[in-house]
């Protein structure tokens, strides 16, 4: 699972971490192998170059990209509990929405290495190509699910390395994956969609799922411009599409959209709408079969399940 660690995430970071920790606890209790990375452009690492040195004709990525491995199924229970505390405290401090620390406790300032930066999603997609292949082999899992949590479009890539430095993407581009020789033709507006397809084709049968935190402000409201960005190209009337999406969001706290890159693309609100009902996960689910997992969640309290949007959708994938 890969989570956006960018500045624009600040007001939604607390709610996102709440949802993420539910996934971590669930995977731990049900013995599902996992790795959780935050992708960031701001992690302090001393001196650095602007780009990673690559061969001519290869896509150039920023050397600012850092993948921060926050959680892993390889961690001990004590290590995991400590890391949950540290990440939660940072998220509370970074959260821009109001919170009465007199009642909830005062979080400590985060280390400067973990300051929020840009959204290097495209760079992360390229780096993860080799990782997902190796992880599938080393973990021994039969079905791999790769999940991305972001709040917007990716930073731009520099382009392709050539003799003059690099050449930006144009209206017509051809990408050939040397791993399997698959070819992808795309325009400059389809870079992220194409890189998602490349990643998915690295591992047979892998699900690539996106969660887009579209809302902002205390109530997590999704503004008209964001709906336009998400629903452009919709087959139905634009205004009808927006009203239908708003209606679904109010009812289900999630809207599922078609995506050229993701297998499933979930649009979430923000603010307090991401808060989680923190009733504990039952110990009866430890090592449970997939059918038992699905049955247990189907019988769960509706309000609790709706508050655990990410976990609910993840259970549907694995059960």
């Amino acid at each position: 699972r890969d989570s956006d660690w960018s500045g624009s995430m600040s007001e939604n970071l607390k709610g996102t971490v709440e949802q993420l920790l539910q996934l971590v606890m669930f995977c731990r209790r049900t013995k599902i192998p996992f790795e959780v990375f935050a992708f960031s452009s701001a992690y302090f690492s001393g001196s650095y170059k602007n780009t990673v040195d690559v061969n001519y004709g290869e896509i150039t990525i920023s050397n600012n990209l850092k993948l921060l491995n926050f959680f892993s199924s390889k961690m001990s229970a004590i290590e995991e509990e400590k890391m949950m505390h540290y990440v939660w405290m940072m998220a509370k401090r970074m959260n821009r929405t109001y919170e009465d620390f007199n009642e909830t406790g005062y979080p400590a300032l985060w280390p400067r290495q973990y300051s929020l930066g840009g959204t290097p999603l495209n760079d992360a997609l390229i780096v993860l190509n080799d990782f997902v292949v190796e992880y599938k082999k080393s973990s021994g899992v039969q079905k791999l699910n790769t999940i991305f949590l972001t709040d917007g479009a990716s930073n731009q890539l520099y382009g392709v390395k050539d003799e003059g430095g690099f050449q930006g993407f144009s209206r017509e581009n051809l990408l050939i994956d040397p791993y399997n020789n698959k070819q992808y033709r795309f325009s400059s507006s389809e870079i992220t969609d194409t890189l998602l397809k490349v990643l998915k084709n690295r591992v047979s049968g892998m699900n690539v799922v996106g969660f887009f935190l579209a809302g902002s402000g205390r109530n997590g409201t999704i503004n008209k411009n964001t709906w336009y960005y998400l629903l452009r190209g919709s087959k139905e009337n634009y205004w009808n599409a927006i009203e239908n999406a708003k209606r679904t969001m109010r009812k289900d706290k999630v809207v599922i959209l078609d995506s050229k890159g993701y297998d499933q693309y979930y649009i979430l609100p923000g603010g307090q709408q991401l808060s989680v009902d923190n009733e504990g996960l039952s110990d009866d689910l430890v090592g449970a079969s997939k059918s038992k997992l699905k049955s247990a969640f189907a019988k769960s309290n509706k309000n609790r399940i709706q508050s655990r949007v990410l976990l609910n959708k993840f259970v549907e994938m694995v059960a």
Side-chain angles (χ1 to χ4, degrees), residues 35-142:
E35 299 290 335
V36 175
F37 295 93
F39 51 92
S40 173
S41 65
Y43 185 82
F44 179 75
S45 59
S47 61
Y48 56 84
K49 297 181 295 183
N50 290 327
T51 60
V52 174
D53 189 25
V54 297
N55 297 321
Y56 291 112
E58 293 182 344
I59 295 177
T60 302
I61 64 174
S62 171
N63 195 57
N64 290 352
L65 169 69
K66 298 295 184 294
L67 293 178
L68 310 177
N69 196 183
F70 281 169
F71 297 101
S72 170
S73 53
K74 299 175 184 177
M75 300 170 84
S76 68
I78 294 177
E79 290 172 332
E80 183 180 279
E81 184 176 352
K82 285 184 177 180
M83 194 61 184
M84 283 185 171
H85 175 71
Y86 295 149
V87 173
W88 175 243
M89 295 296 277
M90 285 193 293
K92 280 168 63 71
R93 175 62 73 176
M94 293 173 177
N95 193 50
R96 288 179 181 171
T97 56
Y98 174 77
E99 181 174 346
D100 188 351
F101 289 150
N102 288 319
E103 295 183 1
T104 63
Y106 285 83
L109 287 174
W110 63 90
R112 65 171 180 166
Q113 291 94 329
Y114 294 97
S115 296
L116 302 178
T119 306
L121 173 60
N122 288 338
D123 304 75
L125 287 170
I126 295 173
V127 172
L128 286 171
N129 273 283
D130 292 333
F131 174 81
V132 294
V133 174
E134 293 302 319
Y135 185 73
K136 177 73 162 53
K137 294 179 181 178
S138 63
S139 66
V141 296
Q142 294 181 339

Side-chain angles (χ1 to χ4, degrees), residues 89-310:
M89 295 296 277
M90 285 193 293
K92 280 168 63 71
R93 175 62 73 176
M94 293 173 177
N95 193 50
R96 288 179 181 171
T97 56
Y98 174 77
E99 181 174 346
D100 188 351
F101 289 150
N102 288 319
E103 295 183 1
T104 63
Y106 285 83
L109 287 174
W110 63 90
R112 65 171 180 166
Q113 291 94 329
Y114 294 97
S115 296
L116 302 178
T119 306
L121 173 60
N122 288 338
D123 304 75
L125 287 170
I126 295 173
V127 172
L128 286 171
N129 273 283
D130 292 333
F131 174 81
V132 294
V133 174
E134 293 302 319
Y135 185 73
K136 177 73 162 53
K137 294 179 181 178
S138 63
S139 66
V141 296
Q142 294 181 339
K143 185 66 175 289
L144 190 62
N145 296 286
T146 302
I147 303 171
F148 293 90
L149 286 70
T150 72
D151 73 336
S154 173
N155 295 349
Q156 290 186 345
L157 291 172
Y158 288 94
V160 177
K161 183 175 180 180
D162 64 10
E163 293 182 357
F166 63 88
Q167 178 181 346
F169 297 102
S170 61
R171 294 178 61 182
E172 296 183 359
N173 307 276
L174 173 64
L175 186 155
I176 302 175
D177 186 354
Y179 179 78
N180 50 28
N181 291 319
K182 290 184 178 292
Q183 298 186 8
Y184 306 85
R185 297 185 181 278
F186 63 98
S187 69
S188 57
S189 63
E190 299 172 320
I191 296 174
T192 301
D193 291 340
T194 303
L195 292 176
L196 285 165
K197 293 177 183 177
V198 174
L199 181 68
K200 179 176 174 58
N201 287 331
R202 280 292 181 104
V203 176
S204 177
M206 178 173 67
N207 278 325
V208 179
V209 180
F211 288 91
F212 178 67
L213 309 176
S216 61
R218 185 175 184 181
N219 295 322
T221 304
I222 302 176
N223 64 43
K224 189 178 299 184
N225 289 335
T226 301
W227 279 124
Y228 175 78
Y229 165 76
L230 291 169
L231 298 172
R232 68 192 190 284
S234 175
K235 295 180 181 179
E236 64 178 316
N237 177 275
Y238 168 64
W239 297 111
N240 287 342
I242 287 183
E243 290 306 313
N244 289 335
K246 287 182 176 179
R247 192 177 301 112
T248 301
M249 183 66 74
R250 286 192 296 268
K251 177 183 177 183
D252 301 331
K253 290 189 178 181
V254 60
V255 172
I256 305 173
L257 296 181
D258 293 331
S259 166
K260 296 180 181 179
Y262 295 110
D263 291 299
Q264 298 95 32
Y265 195 32
Y266 299 100
I267 312 304
L268 303 180
Q272 295 180 346
Q273 298 298 312
L274 288 173
S275 296
V276 172
D277 184 332
N278 284 318
E279 182 176 336
L281 296 172
S282 172
D283 288 334
D284 292 339
L285 297 180
V286 176
S289 65
K290 292 181 179 180
S291 60
K292 185 175 181 179
L293 290 176
K294 192 170 185 178
S295 175
F297 271 75
K299 295 177 182 178
S300 295
N301 177 273
K302 181 180 179 182
N303 290 334
R304 189 175 80 233
I305 278 297
Q306 282 195 334
S307 78
R308 296 175 176 178
V309 179
L310 269 65

